[in-house]
Amino acid sequence: MPPTPTELREPVLAWFAVHARDLPWRAADRSPWGVLVSEVMLQQTPVVRVEPAWRSWMARWPTPADLAAASTADVLRAWDRLGYPRRALRLQECARAVVERHDGVVPSSEPELLALPGVGSYTAAAVLAFAYGRRSVVLDTNVRRVLARTVDGVALPAPSQTVDEVRRASRYVPDDDATAARWAAASMELGALVCTARSPRCEVCPVRDVCAWWGAGRPADEHAGRRKVQTFTGTDRQVRGRVMALLRDALGPVPAAAVDAVWPDARQLARCVDGLVADGLVTRDPAASVDDPPTYRLPS
């Protein structure tokens, strides 16, 4: 039998009261904008890399209006090596939308949040919970894994989120706003620190005794064959990252020859550079004359 909402929530909330990490976007003085920035940065990037970047970012652009007025080149340089730099562009677009539509204040309703550039269902729910203390179904990979194990008795959730999964998660969210917001943070923290994907620390888990997966003998992942194994070496992502690093560090426009030198496969490099230009992450300046090569730079 899966645990009841009370059987699952109470031990997790008690554990969180003792073991919660002291993260700056959880501080009492954090702003809704700071929460939104943290959620965008934390997508596919670990906390240890995000925390210093978040502190620097918020010191430089503490409000949406500050980021909206910044140059795109400065934004991309500040994003540095957080990865997936298109997130930086979407965050700046989001800041401009907040300024234009909401007088510079991050909205507190789900429809308005979802209408912002780059804000999906998870980010909207997270902002409602963590910035405004509102009840919402916050379902990231950590929470999905905790519920898959404790409630469904499986090693890992299915590769794609389902409607039934969201409904199941909603049944475990407390009715009152304050406890619901704390449950969102606590279940996420449990997944990040204890109920991890590869090496779960079941021996210290506060809900081991009611966990369906533990009770079933920790069966193997039934979806293992459907999961993609992400690699990095030799991928277009690695090539794009090298080009972006070159342009971030440059004091001015970079000649084509310098860009050509970052990767040995000319066809792959050309494809990646074209993609960066199409994504708005790189500007290709035409040659001044037939004898001069084009140059590349970050968008101004």
Side-chain angles (χ1 to χ4, degrees), residues 84-95:
Y84 303 100
R86 276 178 290 187
R87 290 183 294 165
L89 298 186
R90 299 295 86 79
L91 187 54
Q92 187 172 40
E93 290 176 16
C94 180

Side-chain angles (χ1 to χ4, degrees), residues 187-271:
S187 55
M188 187 180 299
E189 193 81 331
L190 185 69
L193 300 183
V194 175
C195 195
T196 58
R198 295 184 179 179
S199 302
R201 301 167 58 219
C202 296
E203 68 280 3
V204 297
C205 179
V207 289
R208 184 183 69 177
D209 292 344
V210 297
C211 174
W213 185 57
W214 174 266
R218 305 209 319 177
D221 177 19
E222 61 187 51
H223 301 289
R226 298 169 54 197
R227 301 189 193 281
K228 296 179 180 179
V229 179
Q230 294 186 343
T231 59
F232 180 71
T233 302
T235 62
D236 284 4
R237 184 183 164 206
Q238 183 182 24
V239 180
R240 288 165 61 102
R242 289 193 178 183
V243 174
M244 291 298 297
L246 174 68
L247 300 185
R248 279 197 307 267
D249 295 339
L251 297 177
V254 176
V259 174
D260 292 343
V262 304
W263 195 254
D265 186 331
R267 291 181 63 182
Q268 184 182 17
L269 177 64
R271 180 176 69 246

Side-chain angles (χ1 to χ4, degrees), residues 23-36 38 54 58 126-134 181:
L23 301 175
W25 45 86
R26 290 177 179 167
D29 62 350
R30 87 266 186 256
S31 66
W33 170 242
V35 171
L36 178 55
S38 74
W54 184 90
M58 293 303 297
V127 171
L128 287 177
F130 304 143
Y132 292 109
R134 300 268 298 280

Side-chain angles (χ1 to χ4, degrees), residues 34-57:
V35 171
L36 178 55
V37 170
S38 74
E39 290 300 334
V40 174
M41 287 185 169
L42 286 164
Q43 295 168 10
Q44 298 176 293
T45 306
V47 167
V48 68
R49 290 175 56 198
V50 168
E51 184 171 356
W54 184 90
R55 291 183 185 277
S56 176
W57 189 283

